Amino acid sequence: MPTIRPVTRADHDQWLTLWEGYNAFYKRVGPAAVPPEVTQMTWARFFDGYESMHALVAESDGRLVGLVHYIFHRNTTMLGPVCYLQDLFTDPSQRGKGVGKALIEAVYEQARLAGSPRVYWHTHDTNKTVMRLYDYVATHSGFVVYRKDV
Amino acid sequence: MPTIRPVTRADHDQWLTLWEGYNAFYKRVGPAAVPPEVTQMTWARFFDGYESMHALVAESDGRLVGLVHYIFHRNTTMLGPVCYLQDLFTDPSQRGKGVGKALIEAVYEQARLAGSPRVYWHTHDTNKTVMRLYDYVATHSGFVVYRKDV
Amino acid sequence: MPTIRPVTRADHDQWLTLWEGYNAFYKRVGPAAVPPEVTQMTWARFFDGYESMHALVAESDGRLVGLVHYIFHRNTTMLGPVCYLQDLFTDPSQRGKGVGKALIEAVYEQARLAGSPRVYWHTHDTNKTVMRLYDYVATHSGFVVYRKDV
Amino acid sequence: MPTIRPVTRADHDQWLTLWEGYNAFYKRVGPAAVPPEVTQMTWARFFDGYESMHALVAESDGRLVGLVHYIFHRNTTMLGPVCYLQDLFTDPSQRGKGVGKALIEAVYEQARLAGSPRVYWHTHDTNKTVMRLYDYVATHSGFVVYRKDV
């Protein structure tokens, strides 16, 4: 099983490869690509003590094989923050070994340590493969997401 | 049409009536009720310049008839914050007059002013009445919400 | 008297001239200059709803003649945030007209609105001219500042 | 030498004793005392992943002998946050053993990890004993603190 640990500055190049793989998987390419300055800022925010944005990585045989990004933010029905798990990715060559599950459970642990009683995330309802994992580790809440670009 | 404006401390009692109506509508009553200390903290956070939690109210004939609560938080794919519209409620006696739509559009305007390129929210997929409004003012993204209480 | 108002994106060029005048006054030039990418980030943070960094400007006859920057942050002895007034500058041609005093008092008002019971700032103890103003509008606390670049 | 480590929820009672000793030392007693609800909130914020307020403690022979509280906040001349070391206290029975110095240096290390290039704090200029330590580990900047309760 991989080791799950906080990302460090030394992980930049391997993290970037995973991040690009993740974005390609979700078709964020071409005009829809995450601009390099956003990637650079997101990376910087992981190491900025004022921000509430964090990354964990999965390491196996000295190599990064997965990432998860999560953010603490306020919620009107809780004293403590809620934890938004925004991004989860496992290197395609390492699928089926429990890397994603281990990353999600590590976020649960970080949320508990940060006084956050709930972790949530979004997934597209056509994403049936990954929803099997999500149904196993969490609850399909029945809520759907509306959005407006303003 | 109602006036949409930021909540003020003087609105506390009328806001509380709306907040309680909203929670009752979503069956957050009895053991599932929002505890009074959470309501008090949420109220305090609207007026705390360090927090990113805000409230607007709809006022009609000198009386509050609606509320909306929204929160700015980070997002890994944007420089600016994303805007989470968490709570929306219109006094049942005032339905069908465009209060909800006006509140949502006021959040869009606040998001633009705060450098936030996107507003999003969650709604239960059985909530067909309100989804007609949401389909009109925003996009049903196809994303669903997973949750885990940790 | 000038009008004191929140900075807007349209003020960028005039704000930059004042910011550069301010930095030059404090000898932040040459190797000690504020790097352009920091100026750009600070400007962006004024318009980012997740941040707690704000700017007011003084406008007189359609032209900016002063600026003040302030930041809300936590404090272990208060429920609400404390307000750090970091930067204050008046165009040298407009000195002695009360611009600085008006800017400071506008920060007091913003602090009250943001639930912040205290405004504080730092000034070098050789800066006797400006300390006459500060002694008039605030209290010389007797506290001194220690620093360590780490 | 004591061990310096992050505070945990299990430390509450011993932390409270130190916090009360600290406040008594600075004459925050009677009408000037920190109210219990503020102490409770400050404690809660140490464990809230949305906040940027932290505490370290010094442990010696299984007992807490010192505390330090620090806060990350924005600064207009830096990309990363600045670190405000607000409170430092050593049990009077343990003075002269390097506890305070070890706590300050641990904050330096945390600041580095959090991308914060500078730590600062305030001390009253009559506090000559402790200023000997501060002159040793940091720089007396020549800046003084002005304050206004608003």
Side-chain angles (χ1 to χ4, degrees):
Chain A
M1 271 302 295
T3 304
I4 310 297
R5 60 168 178 78
V7 78
T8 69
R9 288 179 180 85
D11 294 321
H12 178 265
D13 294 358
Q14 290 195 68
W15 168 84
L16 187 60
T17 301
L18 289 169
W19 175 238
E20 290 175 343
Y22 170 75
N23 285 315
F25 181 83
Y26 285 103
K27 310 279 188 282
R28 294 202 203 105
V29 292
V34 177
E37 65 270 25
V38 175
T39 290
Q40 190 181 338
M41 178 74 98
T42 291
W43 177 254
R45 284 173 174 160
F46 295 144
F47 304 100
D48 181 327
Y50 179 75
E51 299 282 349
S52 314
M53 185 184 274
H54 305 278
L56 302 176
V57 289
E59 185 170 1
S60 185
D61 296 328
R63 177 168 96 76
L64 298 196
V65 298
L67 62 74
V68 66
H69 301 157
Y70 58 101
I71 294 160
F72 294 114
H73 69 79
R74 290 285 178 233
N75 184 292
T76 59
T77 65
M78 298 177 185
L79 296 179
V82 71
C83 178
Y84 173 39
L85 188 164
Q86 185 170 2
D87 307 307
L88 177 71
F89 188 65
T90 301
D91 183 313
S93 73
Q94 305 289 317
R95 298 280 165 80
K97 300 180 176 176
V99 176
K101 180 168 174 287
L103 285 163
I104 292 172
E105 289 175 345
V107 173
Y108 292 170
E109 177 62 16
Q110 293 302 311
R112 278 186 286 261
L113 291 171
S116 176
R118 181 180 295 162
V119 179
Y120 77 97
W121 61 93
H122 300 159
T123 199
H124 203 276
D125 67 5
T126 57
N127 208 344
K128 299 301 181 195
T129 307
V130 77
M131 285 169 76
R132 283 202 298 269
L133 168 60
Y134 296 166
D135 287 330
Y136 180 62
V137 298
T139 302
H140 186 159
S141 68
F143 284 80
V144 297
V145 181
Y146 276 84
R147 285 186 181 173
K148 174 73 172 182
D149 289 340
V150 295
Chain B
M1 271 303 296
T3 303
I4 310 297
R5 59 169 178 77
V7 77
T8 70
R9 288 180 179 85
D11 294 321
H12 177 265
D13 294 357
Q14 290 196 68
W15 169 84
L16 186 60
T17 301
L18 289 168
W19 175 238
E20 290 175 345
Y22 170 75
N23 285 314
F25 182 81
Y26 284 104
K27 310 279 188 280
R28 295 201 202 104
V29 292
V34 177
E37 64 269 26
V38 174
T39 290
Q40 189 182 339
M41 178 75 97
T42 291
W43 178 255
R45 284 173 174 160
F46 295 144
F47 304 100
D48 180 326
Y50 180 73
E51 299 282 349
S52 314
M53 184 185 274
H54 305 277
L56 302 176
V57 290
E59 184 171 2
S60 185
D61 295 327
R63 177 167 97 76
L64 298 196
V65 298
L67 62 74
V68 66
H69 301 158
Y70 58 101
I71 295 160
F72 294 114
H73 69 80
R74 291 285 178 231
N75 183 293
T76 59
T77 65
M78 297 175 186
L79 295 180
V82 71
C83 178
Y84 172 40
L85 188 164
Q86 185 170 0
D87 307 308
L88 177 71
F89 188 65
T90 301
D91 182 315
S93 73
Q94 305 289 316
R95 298 279 165 80
K97 299 180 176 177
V99 176
K101 180 168 173 287
L103 285 164
I104 292 172
E105 288 175 345
V107 173
Y108 292 170
E109 178 62 15
Q110 293 302 311
R112 278 186 286 263
L113 290 171
S116 176
R118 180 180 296 164
V119 178
Y120 77 97
W121 62 92
H122 299 158
T123 200
H124 203 276
D125 67 5
T126 58
N127 207 344
K128 299 302 181 194
T129 306
V130 79
M131 285 169 76
R132 283 203 297 270
L133 168 60
Y134 297 166
D135 286 330
Y136 181 61
V137 299
T139 302
H140 186 159
S141 68
F143 283 81
V144 298
V145 181
Y146 277 83
R147 283 186 182 175
K148 173 74 172 180
D149 289 342
V150 295
Chain C
M1 271 302 295
T3 303
I4 310 297
R5 59 169 178 78
V7 77
T8 70
R9 288 179 179 84
D11 294 321
H12 178 265
D13 294 357
Q14 290 195 67
W15 169 83
L16 187 60
T17 301
L18 289 169
W19 175 238
E20 289 175 344
Y22 169 74
N23 285 315
F25 182 81
Y26 285 104
K27 309 280 189 283
R28 293 202 204 104
V29 292
V34 176
E37 65 269 25
V38 175
T39 290
Q40 190 182 339
M41 179 74 98
T42 291
W43 177 255
R45 285 173 173 160
F46 295 144
F47 304 100
D48 181 328
Y50 179 74
E51 299 281 349
S52 314
M53 184 185 274
H54 305 277
L56 302 175
V57 290
E59 184 170 2
S60 185
D61 295 328
R63 180 167 94 76
L64 298 196
V65 298
L67 64 74
V68 66
H69 301 157
Y70 58 101
I71 294 159
F72 294 113
H73 69 80
R74 289 285 179 232
N75 184 292
T76 59
T77 65
M78 298 175 185
L79 295 180
V82 71
C83 178
Y84 173 40
L85 187 164
Q86 184 170 0
D87 307 307
L88 178 70
F89 187 65
T90 302
D91 182 313
S93 73
Q94 305 289 317
R95 300 278 165 79
K97 299 179 176 177
V99 176
K101 180 167 173 288
L103 285 163
I104 291 171
E105 289 175 344
V107 173
Y108 292 170
E109 178 61 15
Q110 293 302 310
R112 277 186 287 261
L113 291 171
S116 176
R118 180 180 295 164
V119 178
Y120 77 96
W121 61 91
H122 299 159
T123 199
H124 203 276
D125 69 4
T126 57
N127 207 345
K128 298 302 181 195
T129 306
V130 78
M131 285 168 76
R132 283 202 298 268
L133 168 60
Y134 296 165
D135 287 330
Y136 180 62
V137 297
T139 302
H140 186 159
S141 67
F143 283 80
V144 298
V145 181
Y146 276 83
R147 281 185 184 175
K148 174 73 171 182
D149 289 341
V150 295
Chain D
M1 271 303 295
T3 303
I4 310 297
R5 59 169 178 78
V7 78
T8 70
R9 288 179 180 86
D11 294 321
H12 178 265
D13 294 357
Q14 290 195 69
W15 169 84
L16 187 60
T17 301
L18 289 168
W19 175 238
E20 290 175 344
Y22 170 75
N23 285 315
F25 181 82
Y26 284 104
K27 310 276 188 284
R28 294 201 203 104
V29 292
V34 177
E37 66 269 25
V38 175
T39 290
Q40 190 182 339
M41 179 74 97
T42 291
W43 178 255
R45 285 173 173 160
F46 295 144
F47 304 100
D48 181 327
Y50 180 74
E51 299 282 349
S52 314
M53 184 185 275
H54 305 278
L56 302 176
V57 289
E59 184 170 4
S60 186
D61 295 328
R63 181 167 92 77
L64 298 196
V65 298
L67 63 74
V68 66
H69 302 157
Y70 58 101
I71 294 159
F72 294 114
H73 69 79
R74 290 284 178 233
N75 183 292
T76 60
T77 65
M78 296 175 187
L79 296 180
V82 71
C83 178
Y84 173 40
L85 188 164
Q86 185 171 0
D87 307 307
L88 178 70
F89 188 65
T90 301
D91 182 313
S93 74
Q94 305 289 317
R95 298 280 165 78
K97 299 180 175 178
V99 176
K101 180 168 174 288
L103 285 163
I104 292 172
E105 289 174 346
V107 173
Y108 292 170
E109 179 61 15
Q110 294 301 311
R112 277 187 288 261
L113 291 171
S116 176
R118 181 180 296 164
V119 178
Y120 77 97
W121 61 91
H122 299 158
T123 200
H124 203 276
D125 68 4
T126 56
N127 207 345
K128 298 303 181 194
T129 306
V130 77
M131 286 169 76
R132 283 202 299 270
L133 168 60
Y134 296 164
D135 287 331
Y136 180 62
V137 298
T139 302
H140 186 160
S141 68
F143 284 81
V144 298
V145 181
Y146 276 83
R147 281 186 185 175
K148 174 73 172 181
D149 289 341
V150 294

